[in-house]
Amino acid sequence: SQTIHQWPATLVQPVGSPLSLECTVEGTSNPNLYWYRQAAGRGLQLLFYSVGIGQISSEVPQNLSASRPQDRQFILSSKKLLLSDSGFYLCAHAAGDNSPLHFGNGTRLTVT
Amino acid sequence: DAKTTQPPSMDCAEGRAANLPCNHSTISGNEYVYWYRQIHSQGPQYIIHGLKNNETNEMASLIITEDRKSSTLILPHATLRDTAVYYCIALNTNAGKSTFGDGTTLTVKP
């Protein structure tokens, strides 16, 4: 069965510090991978998606970047965090062929 | 992916059916309708999806209108644990991108 791992669960970082959130998927090959952010009480905002190694599409210009160094690994990064980067970050995968998205448990990031 | 519209909130009595509507009037022919729910501080949980036929699984039923412009998620016997935010999205996961609206907050009351 497919499993998605996302860590850490919570993170508190000062403004200006770097960020690296990692997501890995097990049990599937060549998945579509996604990073979402959710503000309190709001829906999910798509940040990045990837349909293959090294293929990254950005949906919202911002302070963040994403990379896919391996087939089942998706990394969200920032060189210098802003206060506005605080939020709930979710990684998701889909096998394609109109199979549903499956989400990780998320990382709650607080930038202070 | 098509834009979806859902009521911001709904109440349902425990044990009764919860019917959650969704409008997706701009859905294209290759987009499926997906439903997810999110309990506070957790990742969204997949519930059900369909293209044009009605679907049923162990969690819920999905009714899609013939013109595919709207759908209804049915929780046949709502429990207190069904209290959550429910998201309806129309998308083609083969195309990569997907966006979520603000969803419907369902509150199941005893």
Side-chain angles (χ1 to χ4, degrees), chain A residues 39-89:
Chain A
R42 301 301 305 276
L44 282 70
Q45 178 188 35
L46 179 63
L47 301 176
F48 302 95
Y49 69 95
S50 171
V51 298
I53 296 175
Q55 300 178 60
I56 309 294
S57 296
S58 174
E59 290 298 303
V60 181
Q62 58 205 310
N63 186 41
L64 303 170
S65 63
S67 62
R68 185 171 177 173
Q70 300 181 43
D71 181 41
R72 290 171 287 180
Q73 184 185 30
F74 206 24
I75 298 172
L76 182 70
S77 304
S78 173
K79 293 182 180 178
K80 291 185 178 181
L81 284 169
L82 307 172
L83 287 174
S84 58
D85 292 324
S86 294
F88 190 44
Y89 288 82

